[in-house]
């Protein structure tokens, strides 16, 4: 039964320490004596403990925050794992200290934490959220367009800002930007999903009706597939959902472990008129996609073999499979299959929490998918996003003839900080996805056009020269909510004169933006304070090999993004193809603690979560930089301040649902 209670209200307390103490009245003498002897006993006990453990002291400063003396030994943050014990993957946003290093909690205050909440990315009013789509047992079935509304379903914990007690949240939108929260769509109230209503996918049938397959975790934590459908197909808001009374419709087949069978895809039609789905699994360390045919979504035939299998990739979850056009700039319905079509297979790897895709050919009769390049096979080749981005799911938007990609952007701070701020995780800006016809190896991802409606004041900077080793401030005011379009042209003479090298460059292991080469790095310093004590460089780096060939890398350096110690500070990135005649181009969406960066029209994408302590509110600035040793760079930019999206509960819902 659907839980129609509204989202939990936000606490009225801000958690701050009062600046004034209430006046104390004089207490009776007996009470004073009792307090005196009680304090004396406590003092003696404290002295005894101090003699054994040292004299750590904590004091309160004038701002109400806690300062430690130099003798303090802060308690390190130690992650607690809930996933494996519950028979689910570990997907909470926990920090795992590397090499036994201790991670010390930063004294976040309410002002810092409030700033982190995004303004135009979708997220619930509070608590924990997972991905949007129809994959992965941590996530929910994702978006679809129905009777004038975009529907978004997501995994949600209504009780806390940590993973657990997962149900399905539900929101609707007219434009994929402004969202209205609806009551919970489904809760864990049956034996076959009592341990979690996990990921599923919706299929829109030719008669306009909707069927949904989703993974449930039953009383024994076995992953089973279940059927659900709207209680009233005439309701454009799809508020109430019915679970099929003979669930589950699929259980793990022989040879598949009970906890390795999840995330059914959207179904597509075969030439025989049957519906076909694939489900993620593994055998030992080989990731596999099982295939089933059905005529009624109740009875299924398991087909021999696998849609695809790749050794060493581990458990596949959130499998997605869809066609892309080789000739047109538009999306295709999931069932389209012709000579003018390539297919994309995408998997989320449970072992490393990244989303991989490959492009190839689907053979319906043989029930197989063959990548164009096996070196770029699914799970070992290209990724949707080289940052914080997981369990992505596409849907065909028949309203605008496009395929739209959603992904879950988790937190990369500590779980303790999430509990303190009262929420965790957001959704990416929806991205239109197309085949890159110039490379034929990559997809192009680009923010949906509706995001442009949030643009406010714009600033243009044309042909700015950024000399090697320099930083140029950009006078645009506060830089917390931005849409940045930039083009860079590196000095051609420097390109020719630069000496080649056999040294291998990697964004993640080559020292970040402070590592200087002849031809880079250069780009933007995002969410930086005036003194650059905090900054997040988004940049290109050109490496020239000993053979004279150039390779361009697109990177995002979080190593100096925050002075806090309990946040992730990885350096993300990958090589990006740059074709002859192309300038280097990027687009960056900045929304408080999220930076989504798109290079070369979306061939390579990086999403970062950053948690500055100084570069917030009006102190957040934007700079151009060029840390190359030899090459100057010309830059042209157009920058928009961005408005906030309206994301709130649906008004007068009782009237709408009757």
């Amino acid at each position: 039964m659907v839980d129609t209670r509204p989202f939990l209200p936000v606490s009225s307390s801000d958690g701050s320490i009062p600046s004034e103490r209430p006046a104390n009245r004089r207490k009776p003498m007996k009470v004073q004596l009792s307090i005196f002897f009680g304090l004396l006993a406590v003092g003696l006990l404290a002295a005894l403990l101090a003699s054994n453990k040292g004299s750590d002291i904590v004091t309160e400063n004038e701002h109400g925050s806690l300062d430690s003396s130099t003798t303090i030994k802060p308690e390190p943050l130690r992650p607690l794992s809930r996933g494996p014990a519950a028979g689910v993957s570990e997907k909470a946003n926990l920090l795992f200290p590397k090499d036994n290093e201790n991670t010390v909690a930063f004294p976040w205050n309410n002002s810092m934490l409030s700033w982190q909440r995004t303004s135009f990315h979708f997220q619930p009013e509070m608590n924990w959220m997972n991905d949007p789509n129809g994959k992965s047992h941590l996530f929910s079935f994702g978006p679809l367009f129905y009777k004038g509304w975009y529907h978004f379903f997501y995994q949600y914990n209504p009780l806390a800002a940590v993973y657990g007690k997962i149900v399905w949240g539900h929101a609707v939108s007219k434009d994929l930007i402004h969202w209205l929260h609806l009551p919970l769509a489904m809760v864990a109230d049956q034996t076959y999903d009592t341990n979690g209503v996990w990921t599923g996918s919706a299929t829109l049938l030719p008669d306009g009706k909707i069927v949904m397959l989703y993974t449930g975790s039953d009383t024994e934590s076995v992953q089973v597939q279940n059927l659900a459908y709207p209680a009233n197909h005439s309701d454009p808001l799809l508020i109430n959902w019915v679970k099929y009374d003979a669930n589950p419709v699929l259980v793990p087949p022989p040879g598949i472990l009970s906890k390795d069978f999840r995330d059914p895809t959207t179904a597509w039609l075969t030439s025989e008129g049957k519906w076909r789905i694939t489900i993620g699994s593994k055998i030992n360390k080989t990731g596999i996609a099982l295939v089933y045919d059905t005529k009624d979504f109740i009875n299924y035939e398991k087909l021999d073999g696998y849609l695809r299998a790749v050794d060493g990739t581990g458990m596949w979850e959130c499998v997605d499979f869809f066609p892309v056009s080789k000739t047109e700039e538009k999306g295709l319905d999931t069932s389209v299959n012709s000579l003018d079509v390539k297919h994309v297979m995408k998997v989320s790897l449970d072992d490393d929490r990244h989303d991989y895709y490959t492009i190839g050919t689907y053979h319906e009769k043989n029930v197989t998918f063959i990548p164009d390049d096996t070196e770029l096979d699914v799970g070992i080749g290209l990724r949707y996003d080289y940052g914080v981005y997981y369990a992505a799911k596409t849907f065909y938007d028949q309203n605008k003839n496009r395929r739209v990609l959603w992904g879950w952007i988790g937190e990369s701070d500590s779980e303790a900080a999430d509990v303190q701020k009262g929420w965790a995780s957001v959704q990416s800006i929806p991205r239109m996805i197309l085949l890159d016809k110039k490379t034929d190896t990559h997809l192009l991802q680009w923010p949906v056009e509706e995001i442009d409606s949030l643009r406010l004041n714009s600033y243009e900077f044309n042909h700015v020269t950024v000399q090697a080793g320099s930083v140029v401030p950009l006078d645009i005011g506060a830089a917390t909510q931005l849409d940045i379009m930039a083009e860079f042209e590196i000095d051609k003479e420097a390109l020719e004169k630069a000496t080649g090298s056999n040294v291998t460059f990697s964004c993640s292991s080559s020292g970040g933006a402070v590592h200087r080469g002849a031809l880079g790095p250069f780009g933007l310093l995002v969410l930086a304070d005036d003194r650059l004590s905090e900054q997040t460089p988004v940049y290109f780096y050109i490496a020239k090999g000993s053979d004279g060939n150039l390779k361009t890398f697109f990177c995002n350096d979080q190593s100096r993004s925050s002075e806090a110690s309990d946040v992730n500070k990885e350096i993300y990135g990958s090589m990006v193809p740059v074709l002859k005649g192309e300038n280097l181009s990027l687009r960056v969406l900045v929304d408080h603690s999220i930076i989504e960066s798109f290079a070369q029209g979306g061939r390579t994408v990086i999403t970062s979560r950053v948690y500055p302590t100084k570069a917030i509110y009006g102190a957040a600035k934007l700079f151009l930089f060029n840390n190359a040793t030899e090459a100057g760079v010309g830059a042209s930019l157009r920058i928009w301040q961005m408005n906030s999206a309206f994301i709130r509960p649906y008004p007068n819902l009782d009237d709408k649902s009757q």
Side-chain angles (χ1 to χ4, degrees), residues 210-511:
I210 300 169
V211 293
M212 184 198 306
L213 293 173
Y214 74 93
T215 299
S217 180
D218 72 8
T219 53
E220 303 298 323
S221 295
V222 177
Q223 295 171 7
V224 297
Q225 312 313 315
N226 306 300
L227 174 64
Y229 44 87
N232 179 7
H233 276 95
S234 65
D235 174 17
L237 297 181
L238 299 175
I239 291 176
N240 297 309
W241 290 81
V242 176
K243 297 176 183 178
Y244 178 54
D245 58 9
N247 279 333
V249 294
L250 280 171
V251 299
I256 299 299
L257 299 181
S258 61
K259 297 176 183 178
D260 296 336
F261 182 64
R262 54 183 178 265
D263 310 340
T265 61
T266 295
W268 66 92
L269 272 172
T270 69
S271 58
E272 296 177 346
K274 297 178 181 179
W275 292 98
R276 182 165 290 175
I277 64 168
T278 182
I279 298 174
S281 187
K282 70 174 181 177
I283 296 179
N284 298 319
K285 291 296 292 181
T286 298
I288 61 174
L290 302 166
V291 184
Y292 291 84
D293 278 359
T294 181
K295 292 181 178 180
D296 55 12
F297 290 90
I298 296 173
N299 302 289
Y300 293 83
E301 174 191 3
K302 181 181 177 299
L303 304 184
D304 293 337
Y306 313 116
L307 186 61
R308 190 68 184 161
V310 180
D311 293 342
T313 54
M315 178 65 198
W316 286 3
E317 46 187 19
C318 306
V319 178
D320 200 7
F321 190 66
F322 58 91
V324 288
S325 175
K326 296 192 294 184
T327 59
E328 297 182 284
E329 300 293 314
K330 68 176 186 179
L332 299 174
D333 180 85
T334 308
S335 297
V336 172
N337 188 19
S338 70
L339 294 176
D340 293 330
V341 162
K342 286 285 186 181
H343 272 77
V344 177
M345 188 172 192
K346 169 264 169 186
V347 302
S348 299
L349 294 194
D350 192 34
D351 286 355
D352 70 6
R353 305 298 190 278
H354 297 311
D355 282 6
Y356 294 83
Y357 75 88
T358 192
I359 299 168
T361 303
Y362 167 53
H363 300 279
E364 179 188 306
K365 299 300 181 183
N366 297 332
V367 198
T368 56
F369 167 79
I370 306 298
D372 290 342
D373 184 349
T374 54
E375 292 187 1
L376 298 177
D377 209 339
V378 65
I380 61 174
L382 300 173
R383 284 165 49 183
Y384 272 162
D385 192 299
Y386 289 86
V388 184
Y389 190 86
Y390 191 65
K393 169 72 175 178
T394 66
F395 79 103
Y396 175 62
D397 176 10
Q398 72 274 25
N399 182 45
K400 291 195 172 184
N401 294 318
R402 61 185 176 179
R403 184 158 289 272
V404 178
L405 173 70
W406 281 78
W408 169 47
I409 303 174
E411 302 293 329
S412 57
D413 60 350
S414 70
E415 188 172 89
D418 294 342
V419 171
Q420 185 179 352
K421 68 190 179 188
W423 58 270
S425 303
V426 302
Q427 294 303 319
S428 67
I429 293 300
R431 304 170 183 175
M432 189 174 72
I433 194 166
L434 293 168
L435 176 66
D436 181 5
K437 298 174 183 62
K438 293 181 180 179
T439 66
D440 283 331
T441 57
H442 286 63
L443 295 174
L444 297 177
Q445 303 171 58
W446 200 248
V448 293
E449 61 185 0
E450 289 89 339
I451 193 68
D452 298 354
S453 67
L454 297 180
R455 289 172 171 173
L456 298 172
N457 298 332
S458 67
Y459 306 82
E460 287 195 45
F461 303 87
N462 293 317
H463 308 296
V464 179
T465 298
V466 190
Q467 299 292 347
S470 65
V471 174
V472 178
L474 297 174
D475 185 12
I476 61 168
T480 287
Q481 295 174 212
L482 299 176
D483 186 356
I484 306 167
M485 303 280 281
E487 259 196 14
F488 298 91
E489 187 172 4
I490 194 165
D491 181 63
K492 291 182 173 59
E493 185 177 350
L495 281 176
E496 294 175 1
K497 289 184 177 180
T499 303
S501 171
N502 288 323
V503 176
T504 301
F505 179 84
S506 166
C507 291
S508 60
S509 61
S510 294

Side-chain angles (χ1 to χ4, degrees), residues 378-655:
V378 65
I380 61 174
L382 300 173
R383 284 165 49 183
Y384 272 162
D385 192 299
Y386 289 86
V388 184
Y389 190 86
Y390 191 65
K393 169 72 175 178
T394 66
F395 79 103
Y396 175 62
D397 176 10
Q398 72 274 25
N399 182 45
K400 291 195 172 184
N401 294 318
R402 61 185 176 179
R403 184 158 289 272
V404 178
L405 173 70
W406 281 78
W408 169 47
I409 303 174
E411 302 293 329
S412 57
D413 60 350
S414 70
E415 188 172 89
D418 294 342
V419 171
Q420 185 179 352
K421 68 190 179 188
W423 58 270
S425 303
V426 302
Q427 294 303 319
S428 67
I429 293 300
R431 304 170 183 175
M432 189 174 72
I433 194 166
L434 293 168
L435 176 66
D436 181 5
K437 298 174 183 62
K438 293 181 180 179
T439 66
D440 283 331
T441 57
H442 286 63
L443 295 174
L444 297 177
Q445 303 171 58
W446 200 248
V448 293
E449 61 185 0
E450 289 89 339
I451 193 68
D452 298 354
S453 67
L454 297 180
R455 289 172 171 173
L456 298 172
N457 298 332
S458 67
Y459 306 82
E460 287 195 45
F461 303 87
N462 293 317
H463 308 296
V464 179
T465 298
V466 190
Q467 299 292 347
S470 65
V471 174
V472 178
L474 297 174
D475 185 12
I476 61 168
T480 287
Q481 295 174 212
L482 299 176
D483 186 356
I484 306 167
M485 303 280 281
E487 259 196 14
F488 298 91
E489 187 172 4
I490 194 165
D491 181 63
K492 291 182 173 59
E493 185 177 350
L495 281 176
E496 294 175 1
K497 289 184 177 180
T499 303
S501 171
N502 288 323
V503 176
T504 301
F505 179 84
S506 166
C507 291
S508 60
S509 61
S510 294
V514 298
H515 171 75
R516 303 188 69 184
L519 306 175
F522 56 88
L524 299 169
L525 301 180
V526 180
L527 295 177
D529 65 340
D530 281 329
R531 296 186 176 182
L532 302 183
S533 60
E534 292 184 332
Q535 55 177 281
T536 302
V538 179
Y539 61 94
F540 293 101
Y541 186 100
I542 299 176
K544 189 172 186 178
S546 57
D547 57 3
N549 290 330
L550 302 175
K551 289 184 178 180
T552 303
F553 295 83
F554 182 54
C555 313
N556 192 318
D557 181 359
Q558 298 181 140
S559 62
R560 290 170 293 163
S561 62
S562 174
E563 292 191 352
S565 55
D566 55 352
V567 301
N568 183 293
K569 296 183 180 181
E570 289 184 65
I571 302 168
Y572 299 128
S574 179
M575 190 175 71
V576 56
V578 179
L579 306 184
K580 185 177 181 180
E582 290 183 343
N583 283 337
L584 297 174
S585 65
L586 63 82
R587 182 178 185 180
V588 182
L589 294 174
V590 182
D591 186 8
H592 295 259
S593 59
I594 288 182
I595 303 170
E596 292 189 71
S597 307
F598 305 79
Q600 300 308 107
R603 282 187 195 132
T604 300
V605 183
I606 305 172
T607 299
S608 290
R609 294 302 307 272
V610 295
Y611 306 89
T613 63
K614 296 179 179 178
I616 58 178
Y617 299 107
K621 306 297 181 183
L622 179 68
F623 298 81
L624 281 167
F625 84 99
N626 177 8
N627 207 27
T629 59
E630 298 179 18
V633 174
S636 295
L637 305 92
R638 189 167 186 189
I639 304 165
W640 292 266
Q641 299 279 354
M642 294 291 278
N643 204 349
S644 299
F646 293 101
I647 302 174
R648 60 190 187 277
Y650 197 107
N652 304 317
L653 188 59
D654 290 340
D655 297 337

